[in-house]
Amino acid sequence: MNRLDLDTLEKWYLNNFEDKLLGRRIVLEDIEPIIKTLKAPFVVRELGTSEANKNIYHITLGTGPKRILLWSQMHGNESTGTKALFDIFKYVETYKEDSFIKDLLNTCTLIFIPMLNPDGATNFTRVNQNDVDLNRDAVDLKAKESNLLRAVLNDFNPHFCFNLHDQRTIFNVEGFKNPATISFLAPSIDEPRTLTEGRKETMAAIVAMNETLQEIIPNYVGRYTDEFYPTATGDNFQKLGHNTILIEAGHYPGDYDRDIVRKFNFYAILSGLNYLVFNENYTHYEPYFDIPNNGKQNYDLILRNFLDDQNKQVDIAFQYEYEVVNNQLVSKLVEYQRGDLKEFNAYNEF
Ligand SMILES: [Zn+2]
């Protein structure tokens, strides 16, 4: 397999990432002007509209026989994957005459849906305008947005999908205090979590992505639970025969805006594409099981040995929660747990 040269990539990234997209809340009005500037080899069209009538875009790249579908922000408040996709677009623009991008576009056809849930993005909510969680709507297909995604899946018939999400700061890498900065999942297709050929192929792509990340953020990569969710998108797409890679972007120390994590997400996606381009058989899956599981032990803030009303010493744990006020994202600390929290870590402690 051709390897990405991480030093070159790092230098390129520093000066060339999509710096028009910054911060935790990315809305349609942020990405639309950028989409309008995309020229060949990008082919842009409007896929349809959301429940509140916002545009949902569909961007195609390449003409090759391997079909890959990538979407982000099916949960409106999870924008890290979106920023990473726009970084990928800039990378393609920079290197469109170079061999890797030429190989990519000759070997693959890629379809990107960079913001599937623009209404949730505006409201900074997981759900869409009608309170539907699109990632639990793969069977009922109640939401307009779920039907648009399903229509693309059926028409395009992808071999691989990249399903891009964000996870909460609470997730650590099991056995470490490090946050799970990136977590991966090859979703199950049934309760017993059967290891089908398709799942093995999905795992093999994740193995390649994890190898890259371990070089730059060793022990900050986790594996999301593969418990079967009967109504989840990834589980259903995998079951329908489309290998679906779930990427959960998480916390990195000090990076509440997730503008450092987006780079790791960018590396992960690029490594995955690189692996799919330069391999014909995706069989090297076993090291997937060596990726540590996600833990759930990291709070944003813990006050240690706090004296409560009864003069008893307790630890109190807090998490940030977010809401949109006057079109601005504001965060507040919310108490989650109190008691003896020795087993828990915090990004800030007093
Ligand atoms: Zn999500």
Side-chain angles (χ1 to χ4, degrees):
M1 159 185 164
N2 270 31
R3 294 201 55 99
L4 292 167
D5 176 6
L6 289 178
D7 288 337
T8 314
L9 204 53
E10 187 81 18
K11 284 195 195 96
W12 175 85
Y13 193 88
L14 193 65
N15 296 312
N16 295 286
F17 74 96
E18 183 49 84
D19 61 2
K20 292 189 196 77
L21 301 178
L22 292 172
R24 193 67 185 262
R25 178 171 173 250
I26 301 293
V27 298
L28 181 66
E29 291 72 19
D30 297 320
I31 65 165
E32 214 163 26
I34 306 173
I35 290 175
K36 298 227 152 99
T37 67
L38 293 174
K39 297 185 181 67
F42 297 93
V43 179
V44 177
R45 72 177 177 89
E46 287 170 21
L47 174 63
T49 53
S50 66
E51 300 279 6
N53 238 357
K54 286 184 183 282
N55 286 333
I56 297 172
Y57 286 94
H58 173 289
I59 298 162
T60 310
L61 262 183
T63 52
K66 294 182 185 178
R67 296 181 300 277
I68 302 171
L69 173 62
L70 309 91
W71 66 91
S72 182
Q73 255 174 303
M74 81 184 311
H75 290 146
N77 55 357
E78 300 179 4
S79 63
T80 308
T82 309
K83 293 187 282 186
L85 290 183
F86 280 86
D87 294 341
I88 297 262
F89 296 166
K90 286 208 64 178
Y91 187 78
V92 169
E93 279 173 343
T94 305
Y95 290 112
K96 60 184 182 227
E97 301 305 330
D98 284 31
S99 65
F100 169 58
I101 296 300
K102 281 191 166 167
D103 286 343
L104 176 68
L105 303 191
N106 289 329
T107 313
C108 303
T109 303
L110 302 137
I111 290 179
F112 299 86
I113 304 172
M115 188 181 283
L116 184 64
N117 179 8
D119 304 337
T122 298
N123 303 330
F124 203 73
T125 56
R126 178 180 171 91
V127 294
N128 79 347
Q129 193 69 17
N130 298 336
D131 261 333
V132 177
D133 180 340
L134 304 184
N135 202 24
R136 296 288 179 271
D137 191 34
V139 175
D140 293 348
L141 296 172
K142 286 196 293 267
K144 241 174 122 178
E145 298 86 357
S146 307
N147 285 286
L148 289 172
L149 179 63
R150 185 58 64 95
V152 174
L153 186 89
N154 291 341
D155 290 349
F156 183 49
N157 191 21
H159 299 102
F160 279 87
C161 299
F162 287 71
N163 180 13
L164 306 180
H165 289 259
D166 274 55
Q167 62 186 355
R168 289 172 295 150
T169 52
I170 200 160
F171 293 109
N172 63 304
V173 176
E174 212 169 67
F176 298 89
K177 289 186 172 180
N178 301 340
T181 297
I182 297 285
S183 295
F184 293 110
L185 172 67
S188 297
I189 65 152
D190 53 19
E191 294 276 356
R193 310 176 193 195
T194 306
L195 206 50
T196 60
E197 288 310 305
R199 271 194 90 200
K200 288 180 188 170
E201 291 173 355
T202 307
M203 287 173 183
I206 290 172
V207 167
M209 296 156 86
N210 179 54
E211 274 175 16
T212 300
L213 291 184
Q214 291 298 341
E215 285 185 41
I216 45 178
I217 43 166
N219 305 321
Y220 281 80
V221 182
R223 184 153 55 97
Y224 209 80
T225 173
D226 66 351
E227 181 190 340
F228 177 59
Y229 287 96
T231 60
T233 304
D235 306 48
N236 278 279
F237 285 15
Q238 184 74 49
K239 194 164 147 184
L240 290 167
H242 313 280
N243 297 333
T244 301
I245 298 158
L246 175 76
I247 305 181
E248 293 275 358
H251 188 60
Y252 189 73
D255 185 31
Y256 280 96
D257 281 343
R258 302 212 166 164
D259 280 319
I260 300 173
V261 178
R262 68 183 289 176
K263 180 175 77 173
F264 305 136
N265 210 347
F266 163 81
Y267 282 135
I269 298 165
L270 210 55
S271 306
L273 294 176
N274 185 64
Y275 176 75
L276 298 179
V277 168
F278 292 111
N279 291 277
E280 286 313 315
N281 299 301
Y282 312 113
T283 52
H284 182 56
Y285 73 93
E286 290 93 343
Y288 177 82
F289 296 101
D290 299 334
I291 303 172
N293 285 310
N294 269 13
K296 210 175 176 183
Q297 288 173 286
N298 284 14
Y299 283 110
D300 289 322
L301 170 69
I302 296 182
L303 302 178
R304 300 277 184 199
N305 305 320
F306 188 81
L307 283 181
D308 71 3
D309 304 343
Q310 282 105 45
N311 234 13
K312 238 180 70 190
Q313 280 203 347
V314 290
D315 302 331
I316 311 178
F318 298 84
Q319 287 290 87
Y320 282 113
E321 288 189 359
Y322 298 87
E323 62 178 326
V324 177
V325 178
N326 297 328
N327 204 27
Q328 294 289 326
L329 192 63
V330 290
S331 63
K332 58 173 185 228
L333 280 166
V334 175
E335 183 180 328
Y336 265 61
Q337 198 183 350
R338 60 169 70 198
D340 178 5
L341 303 179
K342 268 199 298 294
E343 301 297 307
F344 292 87
N345 317 303
Y347 302 116
N348 277 297
E349 293 198 13
F350 292 101

